[in-house]
Amino acid sequence: GASEDVTLVLQPGYNLKTIPYILSPNDGKIVFLGLADRQAYYLNSSSSWTSLYQNGTISPGQGYWIWSEKGEAYKLPVNAKGVNCQIPFTISLQKGWNGVGNPCPKDIVWNPIVKTTKGTTSYQKAIDGKILTVSYRSDPISQKYVIVNPGDSVKAFDGLLIESGGDVDLVISAQN
């Protein structure tokens, strides 16, 4: 399919975002080349926030902090292909905090299936069993975290933070 024009809308302050597109190229420093304030971060494998201008790539299902002084509508300067959400999408988590996001270019119900080394369970049971925390999105206006419970709606481009007790997969079911 043809490349889509993707615009990331940023409010003033810190924005917890995800980009639900397969980008080419997907190097952070290329994707965010023209960003006004040149501040974009991802959580690396040791759970520390790292500038995408140093290293790192952009992929669907991953969450990023992006700072904007005045707010902007930033058009991505790369080829973009929407994620096919008619098939399940897997997001891999590691122990500690993870930056994740809605992998679909439309709003979804956030209720992933959780796959662990011991088998498959519901998100609610994983929370009850202390395998995972609830998810948190950031409200850029209040600069506060908002809890996202299983079954809540998550908008396209919304990034989330989630803490995991170990290596697990979140499987986002097919969206019709």
Side-chain angles (χ1 to χ4, degrees), residues 49-120:
W49 291 97
T50 305
S51 172
L52 281 155
Y53 291 96
Q54 290 171 348
N55 60 44
T57 55
I58 307 295
S59 56
Q62 299 304 303
Y64 310 97
W65 278 117
I66 304 168
W67 165 261
S68 181
E69 181 75 32
K70 298 184 176 75
E72 74 178 295
Y74 177 66
K75 187 175 177 298
L76 301 187
V78 294
N79 286 323
K81 195 170 138 250
V83 172
N84 176 5
C85 285
Q86 289 168 329
I87 54 172
F89 187 96
T90 299
I91 300 170
S92 294
L93 304 181
Q94 56 204 21
K95 187 175 169 59
W97 285 98
N98 293 265
V100 301
N102 173 0
C104 301
K106 61 178 187 176
D107 300 1
I108 65 167
V109 171
W110 185 250
N111 202 6
I113 294 159
V114 179
K115 287 169 86 170
T116 70
T117 50
K118 298 192 186 95
T120 302

Side-chain angles (χ1 to χ4, degrees), residues 8-17 35 37 39 65-74 137-143 155 158:
L8 191 60
V9 177
L10 302 171
Q11 302 296 331
Y14 278 104
N15 295 261
L16 184 56
K17 289 290 184 184
L35 201 61
D37 295 295
Q39 289 191 56
W65 278 117
I66 304 168
W67 165 261
S68 181
E69 181 75 32
K70 298 184 176 75
E72 74 178 295
Y74 177 66
R137 68 178 175 80
S138 172
D139 180 334
I141 311 299
S142 69
Q143 296 286 315
K155 290 184 169 62
D158 265 6

